[in-house]
Amino acid sequence: MNDSELARELGRLVLEVPGVLQSYDTRPAVVAAVTDAAAALLRQAPAEPITLSRGPEGIAVAVKIAVDDDRPAAETCRDVYSVLMDALQEQGPPAGVASISVEVSRIG
Amino acid sequence: MNAANDDPADDIVDVLSDYLDRGVEPPRELIEQSPENHLALAALLRVREAARSLIDVDEGGLSTGDEGWIDSILTNLHREVKAGRAIPLTHPSPRANLTLTEGAVRGLVRAAGDSVDGVLVGRCVLDGDVTVAGSPVVVRVEASVFWGEPIPAAAERLRVAIAGALIQHTELAIEAVDVTITDVHLRRTDDEGQQS
């Protein structure tokens, strides 16, 4: 599985976590608009909302989400972390997991 | 609207207001594009709903001049919907970086406050170093109430609703929720609403 496929799979898993309403592009709005416009011109798929990067300490993942207010936002946020960590560990990346960032940008 | 500024949160309130003024629902893609857009729309809809049923009470008696009051809320919305500071959530793993945005929490406070009958939040500030877990935070809220509501009781209901939402969803060390009632408004009767 390449990074693009991995990001897509992680994005799908995040949306299945109870309480998650949607995920947002983690790139700055202007960068996202320009990059996605260029991708559309080249008939490529737009980038996944999840950001993956690799470094000497392993893979770093960042995701930005909206959650509902039926359950505590902190609880949903921790569940997203757990789902991402489990999925990455199942992948068995050689360099391991450096960090997982989950930002709750909207509640309810 | 400031065309020289690239921050979309700077003009999203204006953009969404334009759609609503024309009676057009903003495009779903626009709302789902960012949390700022969604927070702004939710707050705008609540403000506009409230504004439809209110008449200002001022020193000279009654007036229907809600514009200054509404403008003040819209100005605050510009600032409040922005992501702002990152508010940490605890986790035992050093590899976890879990946060709430300040904008998400301000949106939560505003929604909780607006859900209190007879009250509309005008301004919300998180006072304190919210980026440090356990640091004391004072939530300062300015709000309007309907004429006839006992102000101390309305302020207390507002305080309880906001504190409850913050306790449920955040790990902020809330030292106090300070409520200031800044405006009093009359509800329109059905006849007045039809005439305006």
Side-chain angles (χ1 to χ4, degrees), chain A residues 22 24 29-30 69-74 77-78 81 85 89 97-107, chain B residues 6 8 31-35 38-39 89-91 93 95-101 103-105 108 168-169 171:
Chain A
Q22 74 169 105
Y24 295 105
V30 174
D69 56 5
D70 290 339
R71 64 189 301 239
C77 190
R78 290 191 193 96
Y81 169 85
M85 179 59 87
Q89 286 180 336
V97 179
S99 68
I100 296 175
S101 299
V102 184
E103 177 189 286
V104 175
S105 306
R106 176 168 66 87
I107 303 168
Chain B
D6 289 335
I31 302 309
E32 293 185 349
Q33 185 181 53
S34 80
H38 196 114
L39 288 167
L89 295 171
T90 56
H91 196 282
S93 171
R95 291 180 290 185
N97 175 27
L98 311 183
T99 57
L100 307 172
T101 65
V105 174
L108 177 71
Q168 183 185 2
H169 292 290
E171 295 175 352

mmCIF file of all heavy atoms in Angstrom, chain A residues 22 24 29-30 69-74 77-78 81 85 89 97-107, chain B residues 6 8 31-35 38-39 89-91 93 95-101 103-105 108 168-169 171:
data_model
loop_
_atom_site.group_PDB
_atom_site.id
_atom_site.type_symbol
_atom_site.label_atom_id
_atom_site.label_comp_id
_atom_site.label_asym_id
_atom_site.label_seq_id
_atom_site.Cartn_x
_atom_site.Cartn_y
_atom_site.Cartn_z
ATOM 1 N N GLN A 22 -17.203 14.679 10.080
ATOM 2 C CA GLN A 22 -16.490 14.826 8.817
ATOM 3 C C GLN A 22 -15.024 15.126 9.097
ATOM 4 O O GLN A 22 -14.658 15.435 10.237
ATOM 5 C CB GLN A 22 -17.091 15.935 7.942
ATOM 6 C CG GLN A 22 -16.790 17.352 8.419
ATOM 7 C CD GLN A 22 -17.175 18.405 7.385
ATOM 8 O OE1 GLN A 22 -18.174 19.085 7.533
ATOM 9 N NE2 GLN A 22 -16.374 18.568 6.336
ATOM 10 N N TYR A 24 -11.545 17.368 7.603
ATOM 11 C CA TYR A 24 -11.212 18.552 6.809
ATOM 12 C C TYR A 24 -9.801 18.423 6.258
ATOM 13 O O TYR A 24 -8.949 17.742 6.835
ATOM 14 C CB TYR A 24 -11.271 19.802 7.684
ATOM 15 C CG TYR A 24 -12.632 20.145 8.205
ATOM 16 C CD1 TYR A 24 -12.952 19.907 9.534
ATOM 17 C CD2 TYR A 24 -13.604 20.701 7.388
ATOM 18 C CE1 TYR A 24 -14.202 20.228 10.036
ATOM 19 C CE2 TYR A 24 -14.850 21.022 7.884
ATOM 20 C CZ TYR A 24 -15.147 20.785 9.210
ATOM 21 O OH TYR A 24 -16.389 21.099 9.688
ATOM 22 N N ALA A 29 -5.985 26.713 3.385
ATOM 23 C CA ALA A 29 -7.055 26.799 2.384
ATOM 24 C C ALA A 29 -6.540 27.214 1.005
ATOM 25 O O ALA A 29 -6.928 26.639 -0.010
ATOM 26 C CB ALA A 29 -8.125 27.778 2.857
ATOM 27 N N VAL A 30 -5.639 28.190 0.974
ATOM 28 C CA VAL A 30 -5.142 28.682 -0.323
ATOM 29 C C VAL A 30 -4.323 27.599 -1.022
ATOM 30 O O VAL A 30 -4.477 27.342 -2.224
ATOM 31 C CB VAL A 30 -4.303 29.963 -0.121
ATOM 32 C CG1 VAL A 30 -3.675 30.391 -1.438
ATOM 33 C CG2 VAL A 30 -5.169 31.079 0.450
ATOM 34 N N ASP A 69 -21.999 16.481 19.212
ATOM 35 C CA ASP A 69 -21.979 16.833 20.633
ATOM 36 C C ASP A 69 -22.763 15.831 21.473
ATOM 37 O O ASP A 69 -23.095 16.098 22.625
ATOM 38 C CB ASP A 69 -22.491 18.257 20.853
ATOM 39 C CG ASP A 69 -23.879 18.471 20.276
ATOM 40 O OD1 ASP A 69 -24.471 17.492 19.788
ATOM 41 O OD2 ASP A 69 -24.367 19.612 20.322
ATOM 42 N N ASP A 70 -23.046 14.652 20.891
ATOM 43 C CA ASP A 70 -23.757 13.629 21.654
ATOM 44 C C ASP A 70 -22.827 12.902 22.618
ATOM 45 O O ASP A 70 -23.271 12.357 23.623
ATOM 46 C CB ASP A 70 -24.394 12.603 20.699
ATOM 47 C CG ASP A 70 -25.544 13.212 19.922
ATOM 48 O OD1 ASP A 70 -26.089 14.229 20.392
ATOM 49 O OD2 ASP A 70 -25.869 12.690 18.843
ATOM 50 N N ARG A 71 -21.550 12.831 22.264
ATOM 51 C CA ARG A 71 -20.588 12.209 23.171
ATOM 52 C C ARG A 71 -19.427 13.180 23.364
ATOM 53 O O ARG A 71 -19.200 14.053 22.513
ATOM 54 C CB ARG A 71 -20.121 10.854 22.641
ATOM 55 C CG ARG A 71 -19.358 10.892 21.339
ATOM 56 C CD ARG A 71 -19.113 9.490 20.774
ATOM 57 N NE ARG A 71 -18.369 8.638 21.679
ATOM 58 C CZ ARG A 71 -17.188 8.075 21.379
ATOM 59 N NH1 ARG A 71 -16.618 8.286 20.211
ATOM 60 N NH2 ARG A 71 -16.579 7.309 22.251
ATOM 61 N N PRO A 72 -18.691 13.050 24.454
ATOM 62 C CA PRO A 72 -17.619 14.016 24.713
ATOM 63 C C PRO A 72 -16.608 14.086 23.563
ATOM 64 O O PRO A 72 -16.142 13.067 23.050
ATOM 65 C CB PRO A 72 -16.973 13.468 25.985
ATOM 66 C CG PRO A 72 -18.064 12.710 26.669
ATOM 67 C CD PRO A 72 -18.876 12.100 25.558
ATOM 68 N N ALA A 73 -16.298 15.309 23.163
ATOM 69 C CA ALA A 73 -15.374 15.510 22.042
ATOM 70 C C ALA A 73 -14.009 14.885 22.334
ATOM 71 O O ALA A 73 -13.370 14.319 21.437
ATOM 72 C CB ALA A 73 -15.221 17.010 21.770
ATOM 73 N N ALA A 74 -13.560 14.988 23.595
ATOM 74 C CA ALA A 74 -12.253 14.428 23.945
ATOM 75 C C ALA A 74 -12.238 12.914 23.759
ATOM 76 O O ALA A 74 -11.239 12.335 23.295
ATOM 77 C CB ALA A 74 -11.907 14.798 25.381
ATOM 78 N N CYS A 77 -12.058 12.131 20.107
ATOM 79 C CA CYS A 77 -10.704 12.433 19.638
ATOM 80 C C CYS A 77 -9.740 11.290 19.988
ATOM 81 O O CYS A 77 -8.937 10.857 19.152
ATOM 82 C CB CYS A 77 -10.259 13.747 20.301
ATOM 83 S SG CYS A 77 -8.752 14.436 19.634
ATOM 84 N N ARG A 78 -9.845 10.775 21.195
ATOM 85 C CA ARG A 78 -8.968 9.666 21.612
ATOM 86 C C ARG A 78 -9.285 8.391 20.823
ATOM 87 O O ARG A 78 -8.396 7.615 20.502
ATOM 88 C CB ARG A 78 -9.113 9.411 23.110
ATOM 89 C CG ARG A 78 -8.520 10.500 23.950
ATOM 90 C CD ARG A 78 -8.423 10.108 25.421
ATOM 91 N NE ARG A 78 -8.146 11.301 26.195
ATOM 92 C CZ ARG A 78 -9.076 12.030 26.814
ATOM 93 N NH1 ARG A 78 -10.334 11.675 26.778
ATOM 94 N NH2 ARG A 78 -8.736 13.115 27.471
ATOM 95 N N TYR A 81 -7.569 8.630 17.534
ATOM 96 C CA TYR A 81 -6.144 8.315 17.712
ATOM 97 C C TYR A 81 -5.947 6.790 17.749
ATOM 98 O O TYR A 81 -5.067 6.250 17.072
ATOM 99 C CB TYR A 81 -5.611 8.947 19.005
ATOM 100 C CG TYR A 81 -4.235 8.455 19.382
ATOM 101 C CD1 TYR A 81 -3.094 9.050 18.844
ATOM 102 C CD2 TYR A 81 -4.076 7.377 20.250
ATOM 103 C CE1 TYR A 81 -1.832 8.582 19.169
ATOM 104 C CE2 TYR A 81 -2.821 6.899 20.579
ATOM 105 C CZ TYR A 81 -1.697 7.510 20.038
ATOM 106 O OH TYR A 81 -0.454 7.031 20.350
ATOM 107 N N MET A 85 -3.751 4.562 15.218
ATOM 108 C CA MET A 85 -2.584 3.823 15.705
ATOM 109 C C MET A 85 -2.705 2.332 15.379
ATOM 110 O O MET A 85 -1.752 1.703 14.899
ATOM 111 C CB MET A 85 -2.425 4.043 17.213
ATOM 112 C CG MET A 85 -1.251 3.301 17.827
ATOM 113 S SD MET A 85 0.340 3.784 17.080
ATOM 114 C CE MET A 85 0.758 5.191 18.097
ATOM 115 N N GLN A 89 -0.166 0.294 12.954
ATOM 116 C CA GLN A 89 0.598 -0.837 13.478
ATOM 117 C C GLN A 89 0.309 -2.111 12.691
ATOM 118 O O GLN A 89 1.184 -2.953 12.526
ATOM 119 C CB GLN A 89 0.304 -1.017 14.965
ATOM 120 C CG GLN A 89 1.001 0.076 15.787
ATOM 121 C CD GLN A 89 0.747 -0.032 17.274
ATOM 122 O OE1 GLN A 89 -0.256 -0.614 17.690
ATOM 123 N NE2 GLN A 89 1.628 0.544 18.067
ATOM 124 N N VAL A 97 5.725 4.480 14.172
ATOM 125 C CA VAL A 97 4.854 5.668 14.180
ATOM 126 C C VAL A 97 5.538 6.767 14.995
ATOM 127 O O VAL A 97 5.827 6.587 16.173
ATOM 128 C CB VAL A 97 3.482 5.332 14.783
ATOM 129 C CG1 VAL A 97 2.592 6.576 14.809
ATOM 130 C CG2 VAL A 97 2.807 4.200 14.016
ATOM 131 N N ALA A 98 5.776 7.891 14.362
ATOM 132 C CA ALA A 98 6.407 9.020 15.067
ATOM 133 C C ALA A 98 5.366 9.809 15.860
ATOM 134 O O ALA A 98 5.565 10.117 17.032
ATOM 135 C CB ALA A 98 7.107 9.939 14.068
ATOM 136 N N SER A 99 4.256 10.146 15.213
ATOM 137 C CA SER A 99 3.224 10.918 15.905
ATOM 138 C C SER A 99 1.888 10.806 15.178
ATOM 139 O O SER A 99 1.840 10.563 13.967
ATOM 140 C CB SER A 99 3.627 12.399 15.996
ATOM 141 O OG SER A 99 3.614 12.980 14.710
ATOM 142 N N ILE A 100 0.840 10.985 15.947
ATOM 143 C CA ILE A 100 -0.504 11.064 15.373
ATOM 144 C C ILE A 100 -1.154 12.313 15.958
ATOM 145 O O ILE A 100 -1.304 12.432 17.182
ATOM 146 C CB ILE A 100 -1.340 9.820 15.718
ATOM 147 C CG1 ILE A 100 -0.719 8.574 15.075
ATOM 148 C CG2 ILE A 100 -2.794 9.993 15.258
ATOM 149 C CD1 ILE A 100 -1.412 7.269 15.447
ATOM 150 N N SER A 101 -1.498 13.245 15.085
ATOM 151 C CA SER A 101 -2.134 14.496 15.520
ATOM 152 C C SER A 101 -3.605 14.477 15.124
ATOM 153 O O SER A 101 -3.928 14.262 13.951
ATOM 154 C CB SER A 101 -1.452 15.707 14.870
ATOM 155 O OG SER A 101 -0.096 15.757 15.243
ATOM 156 N N VAL A 102 -4.463 14.687 16.093
ATOM 157 C CA VAL A 102 -5.907 14.774 15.820
ATOM 158 C C VAL A 102 -6.394 16.117 16.346
ATOM 159 O O VAL A 102 -6.263 16.404 17.539
ATOM 160 C CB VAL A 102 -6.687 13.633 16.499
ATOM 161 C CG1 VAL A 102 -8.168 13.716 16.113
ATOM 162 C CG2 VAL A 102 -6.101 12.276 16.150
ATOM 163 N N GLU A 103 -6.913 16.936 15.439
ATOM 164 C CA GLU A 103 -7.420 18.255 15.824
ATOM 165 C C GLU A 103 -8.934 18.271 15.665
ATOM 166 O O GLU A 103 -9.450 18.009 14.572
ATOM 167 C CB GLU A 103 -6.799 19.334 14.929
ATOM 168 C CG GLU A 103 -7.336 20.738 15.208
ATOM 169 C CD GLU A 103 -6.866 21.746 14.172
ATOM 170 O OE1 GLU A 103 -5.682 22.123 14.217
ATOM 171 O OE2 GLU A 103 -7.678 22.136 13.310
ATOM 172 N N VAL A 104 -9.644 18.592 16.742
ATOM 173 C CA VAL A 104 -11.101 18.766 16.660
ATOM 174 C C VAL A 104 -11.368 20.235 16.355
ATOM 175 O O VAL A 104 -11.084 21.113 17.163
ATOM 176 C CB VAL A 104 -11.795 18.356 17.974
ATOM 177 C CG1 VAL A 104 -13.291 18.663 17.896
ATOM 178 C CG2 VAL A 104 -11.562 16.881 18.267
ATOM 179 N N SER A 105 -11.902 20.503 15.170
ATOM 180 C CA SER A 105 -12.089 21.877 14.713
ATOM 181 C C SER A 105 -13.523 22.363 14.844
ATOM 182 O O SER A 105 -13.789 23.550 14.643
ATOM 183 C CB SER A 105 -11.686 21.999 13.241
ATOM 184 O OG SER A 105 -10.392 21.523 13.064
ATOM 185 N N ARG A 106 -14.421 21.442 15.119
ATOM 186 C CA ARG A 106 -15.829 21.823 15.285
ATOM 187 C C ARG A 106 -16.521 20.793 16.156
ATOM 188 O O ARG A 106 -16.252 19.592 16.000
ATOM 189 C CB ARG A 106 -16.525 21.924 13.919
ATOM 190 C CG ARG A 106 -18.000 22.230 13.998
ATOM 191 C CD ARG A 106 -18.575 22.594 12.636
ATOM 192 N NE ARG A 106 -18.585 21.525 11.660
ATOM 193 C CZ ARG A 106 -19.569 20.629 11.542
ATOM 194 N NH1 ARG A 106 -20.597 20.654 12.353
ATOM 195 N NH2 ARG A 106 -19.516 19.699 10.604
ATOM 196 N N ILE A 107 -17.373 21.261 17.052
ATOM 197 C CA ILE A 107 -18.149 20.359 17.916
ATOM 198 C C ILE A 107 -19.627 20.650 17.678
ATOM 199 O O ILE A 107 -20.088 21.763 17.922
ATOM 200 C CB ILE A 107 -17.806 20.578 19.403
ATOM 201 C CG1 ILE A 107 -16.300 20.383 19.654
ATOM 202 C CG2 ILE A 107 -18.617 19.644 20.294
ATOM 203 C CD1 ILE A 107 -15.825 20.859 21.011
ATOM 204 N N ASP B 6 -5.996 37.280 2.720
ATOM 205 C CA ASP B 6 -6.252 35.962 2.152
ATOM 206 C C ASP B 6 -6.946 35.019 3.123
ATOM 207 O O ASP B 6 -7.288 33.902 2.752
ATOM 208 C CB ASP B 6 -4.940 35.314 1.693
ATOM 209 C CG ASP B 6 -4.387 36.004 0.469
ATOM 210 O OD1 ASP B 6 -5.186 36.609 -0.268
ATOM 211 O OD2 ASP B 6 -3.160 35.949 0.252
ATOM 212 N N PRO B 8 -9.722 33.237 4.657
ATOM 213 C CA PRO B 8 -11.131 33.140 4.278
ATOM 214 C C PRO B 8 -12.072 33.445 5.434
ATOM 215 O O PRO B 8 -13.206 33.860 5.225
ATOM 216 C CB PRO B 8 -11.275 31.685 3.823
ATOM 217 C CG PRO B 8 -10.113 30.957 4.394
ATOM 218 C CD PRO B 8 -9.015 31.967 4.548
ATOM 219 N N ILE B 31 -19.917 25.176 2.838
ATOM 220 C CA ILE B 31 -20.067 24.969 4.283
ATOM 221 C C ILE B 31 -19.141 23.863 4.763
ATOM 222 O O ILE B 31 -18.525 23.960 5.826
ATOM 223 C CB ILE B 31 -21.533 24.625 4.626
ATOM 224 C CG1 ILE B 31 -22.454 25.756 4.150
ATOM 225 C CG2 ILE B 31 -21.704 24.406 6.119
ATOM 226 C CD1 ILE B 31 -22.033 27.123 4.602
ATOM 227 N N GLU B 32 -19.032 22.800 3.978
ATOM 228 C CA GLU B 32 -18.230 21.657 4.417
ATOM 229 C C GLU B 32 -16.736 21.857 4.178
ATOM 230 O O GLU B 32 -15.919 21.057 4.616
ATOM 231 C CB GLU B 32 -18.706 20.384 3.710
ATOM 232 C CG GLU B 32 -20.108 19.985 4.150
ATOM 233 C CD GLU B 32 -20.560 18.676 3.553
ATOM 234 O OE1 GLU B 32 -19.883 18.177 2.628
ATOM 235 O OE2 GLU B 32 -21.597 18.160 4.001
ATOM 236 N N GLN B 33 -16.403 22.950 3.491
ATOM 237 C CA GLN B 33 -15.001 23.201 3.159
ATOM 238 C C GLN B 33 -14.151 23.436 4.406
ATOM 239 O O GLN B 33 -12.987 23.049 4.454
ATOM 240 C CB GLN B 33 -14.940 24.428 2.248
ATOM 241 C CG GLN B 33 -13.592 24.764 1.700
ATOM 242 C CD GLN B 33 -13.703 26.013 0.835
ATOM 243 O OE1 GLN B 33 -14.218 27.049 1.268
ATOM 244 N NE2 GLN B 33 -13.236 25.903 -0.385
ATOM 245 N N SER B 34 -14.722 24.073 5.410
ATOM 246 C CA SER B 34 -13.913 24.375 6.592
ATOM 247 C C SER B 34 -14.801 24.485 7.821
ATOM 248 O O SER B 34 -15.988 24.818 7.714
ATOM 249 C CB SER B 34 -13.147 25.686 6.401
ATOM 250 O OG SER B 34 -13.993 26.782 6.638
ATOM 251 N N PRO B 35 -14.240 24.227 9.005
ATOM 252 C CA PRO B 35 -15.029 24.366 10.229
ATOM 253 C C PRO B 35 -15.463 25.804 10.464
ATOM 254 O O PRO B 35 -16.536 26.056 11.015
ATOM 255 C CB PRO B 35 -14.070 23.889 11.324
ATOM 256 C CG PRO B 35 -12.716 23.923 10.726
ATOM 257 C CD PRO B 35 -12.893 23.734 9.259
ATOM 258 N N HIS B 38 -18.726 26.441 8.688
ATOM 259 C CA HIS B 38 -19.865 25.790 9.338
ATOM 260 C C HIS B 38 -20.248 26.522 10.622
ATOM 261 O O HIS B 38 -21.433 26.776 10.874
ATOM 262 C CB HIS B 38 -19.509 24.333 9.643
ATOM 263 C CG HIS B 38 -20.699 23.486 9.947
ATOM 264 N ND1 HIS B 38 -21.110 22.455 9.143
ATOM 265 C CD2 HIS B 38 -21.577 23.538 10.964
ATOM 266 C CE1 HIS B 38 -22.204 21.914 9.648
ATOM 267 N NE2 HIS B 38 -22.502 22.543 10.765
ATOM 268 N N LEU B 39 -19.249 26.884 11.422
ATOM 269 C CA LEU B 39 -19.515 27.597 12.681
ATOM 270 C C LEU B 39 -20.177 28.946 12.401
ATOM 271 O O LEU B 39 -21.104 29.359 13.114
ATOM 272 C CB LEU B 39 -18.207 27.817 13.458
ATOM 273 C CG LEU B 39 -17.589 26.564 14.099
ATOM 274 C CD1 LEU B 39 -16.150 26.844 14.546
ATOM 275 C CD2 LEU B 39 -18.425 26.094 15.272
ATOM 276 N N LEU B 89 -5.589 18.069 24.655
ATOM 277 C CA LEU B 89 -6.326 16.996 25.325
ATOM 278 C C LEU B 89 -5.291 15.983 25.785
ATOM 279 O O LEU B 89 -4.331 15.696 25.058
ATOM 280 C CB LEU B 89 -7.323 16.334 24.361
ATOM 281 C CG LEU B 89 -8.463 17.217 23.849
ATOM 282 C CD1 LEU B 89 -9.234 16.491 22.742
ATOM 283 C CD2 LEU B 89 -9.402 17.601 24.985
ATOM 284 N N THR B 90 -5.478 15.445 26.966
ATOM 285 C CA THR B 90 -4.468 14.539 27.516
ATOM 286 C C THR B 90 -4.546 13.158 26.872
ATOM 287 O O THR B 90 -5.619 12.722 26.414
ATOM 288 C CB THR B 90 -4.663 14.370 29.032
ATOM 289 O OG1 THR B 90 -5.997 13.928 29.266
ATOM 290 C CG2 THR B 90 -4.420 15.687 29.756
ATOM 291 N N HIS B 91 -3.398 12.492 26.816
ATOM 292 C CA HIS B 91 -3.324 11.105 26.353
ATOM 293 C C HIS B 91 -2.035 10.505 26.910
ATOM 294 O O HIS B 91 -1.007 11.206 26.958
ATOM 295 C CB HIS B 91 -3.319 11.056 24.813
ATOM 296 C CG HIS B 91 -3.620 9.686 24.291
ATOM 297 N ND1 HIS B 91 -2.677 8.682 24.271
ATOM 298 C CD2 HIS B 91 -4.767 9.139 23.797
ATOM 299 C CE1 HIS B 91 -3.235 7.587 23.773
ATOM 300 N NE2 HIS B 91 -4.494 7.839 23.483
ATOM 301 N N SER B 93 0.009 8.391 25.647
ATOM 302 C CA SER B 93 1.088 8.159 24.680
ATOM 303 C C SER B 93 1.794 9.465 24.312
ATOM 304 O O SER B 93 1.135 10.449 23.967
ATOM 305 C CB SER B 93 0.526 7.521 23.407
ATOM 306 O OG SER B 93 1.541 7.489 22.417
ATOM 307 N N ARG B 95 3.257 9.904 21.680
ATOM 308 C CA ARG B 95 3.098 10.075 20.226
ATOM 309 C C ARG B 95 1.757 10.715 19.857
ATOM 310 O O ARG B 95 1.513 11.024 18.700
ATOM 311 C CB ARG B 95 3.244 8.717 19.531
ATOM 312 C CG ARG B 95 4.658 8.176 19.593
ATOM 313 C CD ARG B 95 4.778 6.841 18.907
ATOM 314 N NE ARG B 95 4.095 5.781 19.657
ATOM 315 C CZ ARG B 95 4.125 4.492 19.334
ATOM 316 N NH1 ARG B 95 4.788 4.117 18.247
ATOM 317 N NH2 ARG B 95 3.494 3.602 20.054
ATOM 318 N N ALA B 96 0.903 10.909 20.853
ATOM 319 C CA ALA B 96 -0.417 11.505 20.589
ATOM 320 C C ALA B 96 -0.363 13.018 20.756
ATOM 321 O O ALA B 96 0.125 13.525 21.764
ATOM 322 C CB ALA B 96 -1.451 10.915 21.549
ATOM 323 N N ASN B 97 -0.847 13.720 19.747
ATOM 324 C CA ASN B 97 -0.977 15.180 19.816
ATOM 325 C C ASN B 97 -2.449 15.489 19.541
ATOM 326 O O ASN B 97 -2.857 15.638 18.393
ATOM 327 C CB ASN B 97 -0.049 15.833 18.785
ATOM 328 C CG ASN B 97 -0.234 17.330 18.733
ATOM 329 O OD1 ASN B 97 -0.635 17.941 19.728
ATOM 330 N ND2 ASN B 97 0.029 17.922 17.589
ATOM 331 N N LEU B 98 -3.225 15.542 20.622
ATOM 332 C CA LEU B 98 -4.675 15.698 20.483
ATOM 333 C C LEU B 98 -5.071 17.099 20.942
ATOM 334 O O LEU B 98 -4.699 17.514 22.045
ATOM 335 C CB LEU B 98 -5.412 14.650 21.330
ATOM 336 C CG LEU B 98 -4.945 13.195 21.187
ATOM 337 C CD1 LEU B 98 -5.822 12.275 22.021
ATOM 338 C CD2 LEU B 98 -4.943 12.753 19.734
ATOM 339 N N THR B 99 -5.822 17.791 20.110
ATOM 340 C CA THR B 99 -6.186 19.174 20.437
ATOM 341 C C THR B 99 -7.616 19.507 20.005
ATOM 342 O O THR B 99 -8.174 18.893 19.097
ATOM 343 C CB THR B 99 -5.245 20.187 19.742
ATOM 344 O OG1 THR B 99 -5.282 19.952 18.326
ATOM 345 C CG2 THR B 99 -3.819 20.079 20.241
ATOM 346 N N LEU B 100 -8.165 20.509 20.679
ATOM 347 C CA LEU B 100 -9.377 21.192 20.221
ATOM 348 C C LEU B 100 -8.924 22.567 19.754
ATOM 349 O O LEU B 100 -8.033 23.161 20.373
ATOM 350 C CB LEU B 100 -10.377 21.389 21.363
ATOM 351 C CG LEU B 100 -10.810 20.182 22.203
ATOM 352 C CD1 LEU B 100 -11.652 20.663 23.394
ATOM 353 C CD2 LEU B 100 -11.621 19.225 21.357
ATOM 354 N N THR B 101 -9.535 23.095 18.719
ATOM 355 C CA THR B 101 -9.205 24.480 18.363
ATOM 356 C C THR B 101 -9.999 25.426 19.266
ATOM 357 O O THR B 101 -11.096 25.091 19.739
ATOM 358 C CB THR B 101 -9.535 24.803 16.893
ATOM 359 O OG1 THR B 101 -10.951 24.730 16.711
ATOM 360 C CG2 THR B 101 -8.829 23.861 15.942
ATOM 361 N N GLY B 103 -11.440 27.969 18.219
ATOM 362 C CA GLY B 103 -12.658 28.284 17.467
ATOM 363 C C GLY B 103 -13.761 27.264 17.735
ATOM 364 O O GLY B 103 -14.940 27.626 17.842
ATOM 365 N N ALA B 104 -13.372 25.980 17.842
ATOM 366 C CA ALA B 104 -14.362 24.939 18.132
ATOM 367 C C ALA B 104 -14.979 25.166 19.506
ATOM 368 O O ALA B 104 -16.194 25.009 19.690
ATOM 369 C CB ALA B 104 -13.712 23.564 18.062
ATOM 370 N N VAL B 105 -14.138 25.548 20.472
ATOM 371 C CA VAL B 105 -14.651 25.745 21.837
ATOM 372 C C VAL B 105 -15.518 27.000 21.911
ATOM 373 O O VAL B 105 -16.562 27.012 22.555
ATOM 374 C CB VAL B 105 -13.482 25.790 22.845
ATOM 375 C CG1 VAL B 105 -13.982 26.147 24.236
ATOM 376 C CG2 VAL B 105 -12.766 24.448 22.868
ATOM 377 N N LEU B 108 -18.766 26.112 20.553
ATOM 378 C CA LEU B 108 -19.504 25.307 21.532
ATOM 379 C C LEU B 108 -20.161 26.209 22.574
ATOM 380 O O LEU B 108 -21.337 26.031 22.919
ATOM 381 C CB LEU B 108 -18.529 24.341 22.208
ATOM 382 C CG LEU B 108 -19.066 23.451 23.310
ATOM 383 C CD1 LEU B 108 -19.972 22.376 22.721
ATOM 384 C CD2 LEU B 108 -17.916 22.799 24.082
ATOM 385 N N GLN B 168 -18.349 18.823 29.605
ATOM 386 C CA GLN B 168 -18.601 17.616 28.814
ATOM 387 C C GLN B 168 -17.547 17.406 27.720
ATOM 388 O O GLN B 168 -17.121 16.283 27.467
ATOM 389 C CB GLN B 168 -19.990 17.680 28.169
ATOM 390 C CG GLN B 168 -20.324 16.397 27.398
ATOM 391 C CD GLN B 168 -21.632 16.467 26.649
ATOM 392 O OE1 GLN B 168 -22.315 17.492 26.650
ATOM 393 N NE2 GLN B 168 -21.991 15.372 25.996
ATOM 394 N N HIS B 169 -17.129 18.499 27.080
ATOM 395 C CA HIS B 169 -16.334 18.326 25.858
ATOM 396 C C HIS B 169 -14.865 18.718 25.966
ATOM 397 O O HIS B 169 -14.087 18.406 25.060
ATOM 398 C CB HIS B 169 -16.978 19.136 24.723
ATOM 399 C CG HIS B 169 -18.297 18.591 24.286
ATOM 400 N ND1 HIS B 169 -18.434 17.398 23.599
ATOM 401 C CD2 HIS B 169 -19.563 19.051 24.456
ATOM 402 C CE1 HIS B 169 -19.705 17.171 23.350
ATOM 403 N NE2 HIS B 169 -20.418 18.163 23.867
ATOM 404 N N GLU B 171 -11.136 19.690 28.459
ATOM 405 C CA GLU B 171 -10.426 19.429 29.714
ATOM 406 C C GLU B 171 -9.896 20.744 30.279
ATOM 407 O O GLU B 171 -8.936 20.753 31.051
ATOM 408 C CB GLU B 171 -9.293 18.439 29.447
ATOM 409 C CG GLU B 171 -9.819 17.076 29.014
ATOM 410 C CD GLU B 171 -8.722 16.098 28.633
ATOM 411 O OE1 GLU B 171 -7.543 16.510 28.555
ATOM 412 O OE2 GLU B 171 -9.044 14.917 28.410
#
